[in-house]
């Protein structure tokens, strides 16, 4: 039997709103706190100010409110070692410690772990000079993939056919990774991990580029949907076997076991599954769509993971339908977003709800944009077409004149236009 949980979610974005919402629906969770939180979480949970990258401050807050489960949302506090500080205070924490968080914090570290674990990923060269970049470009050919080594909120990657553009990005980075280009559709696969055992989510797909048709620069993510009608039915099991489990074994072997959410960003290429990147926390905005379909009470399973008891928890259960999230961003994102634009959200319905990501309430009680990604509009339905329609209906009912959104989230999937190369028979 799960004990009564008082949960504290660290972070202030759409992912944290969705996590807090799912926790609030778990009967074993008696109280939900969020720090710093946002106006969306204030509607049903208790927000607290906190310096979210200060481990001592987070641990002190958790003690003060009597939390027995802390969930660290974003990567920056994880890389800063906030989960270590919370655990050192004797409180169960869902999230990797500083060293295991390097799986996201350093692309070079992640590559080495994948190599040691035998996890399939793009061939890569770690570089520090333009000469090394030139050599790697010659080796791999176009399109060129250059990744800044370090946290860049999804914006440190350049994929281009233009060698000059690739070189310019390389020249602007201190250390960077040049990779072979991966063809094939992308999949986000999340696994809840307790150091040894994993429980995989259903797959989701994210839309990284800012514009319709995947035009423009990379962002943190402009929308997502789940499930993926075009993906192999057993994709989660395959990824668990060839990616998640080997990575957990390698991290444990190194003495830095991974507890928390391991997010594999994958390409299903003509040569098989390849890991594009690891993240060490729930993906944003995929989480907003995935949690709308998760039937397993979230608090109990996160607590089991945080305390090393995940093997006692059955596989996650999912609703039979689909979910789509459409991000409404402030004009200018991912550059300098216009701040302060007024927002009037649409009332939640059975098919759609609004997640806050970058909003604040001014002195007059008016909701305003205060970030790049401002809202996540989640639609659900019996299939992907219905979920997509529900989300865009709610977007149309949302009054946010200084915002914009992609209009093609989940469109190709609904139209049956996503093709998989027949990699299965060749590799598996
Ligand atoms: P990352 O920050 O590593 O997830 O990269 C951001 C995005 O760049 C990914 O979601 C892909 O769309 C793209 N990307 C990264 N690496 C590659 C690669 N090796 N081949 C093709 N596209 C890539
Ligand atoms: N959805 C991409 C990310 O969370 O990094």
């Amino acid at each position: 039997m799960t004990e009564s949980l008082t949960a504290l979610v660290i972070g202030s974005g759409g992912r944290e709103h969705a996590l807090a919402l799912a926790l609030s629906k778990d009967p074993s969770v008696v109280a939900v706190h969020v720090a710093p939180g946002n106006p969306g979480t204030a509607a049903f949970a208790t927000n607290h100010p906190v310096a979210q990258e200060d481990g001592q401050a987070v641990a002190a807050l958790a003690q003060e409110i009597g939390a027995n489960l802390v969930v660290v949302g974003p990567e920056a506090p994880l890389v800063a070692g906030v989960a270590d500080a919370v655990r050192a205070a004797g409180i169960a924490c869902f999230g990797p410690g500083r060293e295991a968080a390097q799986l996201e914090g350093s692309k070079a570290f992640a590559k080495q772990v994948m190599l040691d674990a035998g996890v399939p990923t793009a061939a890569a060269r770690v570089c520090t000079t333009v000469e090394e970049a030139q050599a790697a470009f010659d080796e791999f050919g176009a399109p060129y993939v250059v990744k800044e080594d370090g946290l860049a909120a999804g914006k440190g990657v350049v994929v281009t056919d233009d060698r000059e553009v690739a070189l310019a990005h390389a020249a602007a980075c201190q250390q960077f990774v040049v990779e072979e280009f991966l063809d094939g559709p992308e999949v986000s696969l999340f696994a809840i991990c307790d150091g040894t055992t994993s429980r995989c989510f259903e797959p989701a797909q994210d839309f990284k580029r800012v514009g319709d048709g995947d035009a423009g620069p990379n962002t943190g993510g402009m929308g997502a949907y789940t499930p993926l009608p075009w993906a192999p039915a057993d994709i989660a099991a395959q990824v668990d076997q060839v990616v998640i489990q080997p990575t957990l074994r390698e991290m444990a072997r190194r003495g830095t076991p991974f507890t928390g959410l391991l997010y594999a960003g994958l390409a299903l290429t003509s040569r098989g599954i390849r890991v594009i990147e690891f993240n060490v926390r729930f993906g944003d905005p995929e989480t907003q769509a995935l949690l709308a379909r998760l039937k397993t009470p979230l608090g109990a399973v996160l607590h089991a993971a945080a305390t090393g008891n995940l093997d006692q928890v059955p596989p996650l259960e999912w609703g039979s339908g689909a979910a789509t999230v459409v991000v409404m961003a402030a004009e200018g994102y991912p550059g300098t977003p216009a701040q302060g634009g007024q927002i009037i959200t649409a009332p939640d319905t059975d098919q759609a709800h609004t997640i806050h990501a970058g909003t604040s309430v001014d002195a007059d009680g008016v909701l305003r944009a205060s970030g790049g990604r401002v809202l996540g509009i989640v639609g659900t339905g019996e299939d992907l077409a219905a979920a997509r329609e529900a989300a865009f209906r709610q977007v149309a009912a949302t009054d946010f004149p200084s915002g914009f959104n992609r209009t093609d989230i989940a469109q190709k999937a609904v139209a049956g236009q996503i093709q998989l190369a027949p990699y299965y028979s060749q590799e598996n």
Side-chain angles (χ1 to χ4, degrees), residues 361-419:
V361 177
D362 73 12
D364 298 322
V366 176
L367 189 66
R368 296 194 179 274
S370 62
R373 293 185 293 174
V374 176
L375 301 172
I377 310 293
V378 182
T380 55
E382 61 188 12
D383 58 21
L384 199 53
R388 179 171 195 277
E389 238 180 79
F392 279 104
R393 221 180 302 123
Q394 194 79 341
V395 167
T398 303
D399 187 13
F400 177 25
S402 63
F404 72 97
N405 58 273
R406 279 184 68 159
T407 66
D408 64 346
I409 306 301
Q411 192 171 39
K412 279 190 181 167
V414 168
Q417 289 169 347
I418 301 183
Q419 303 297 332

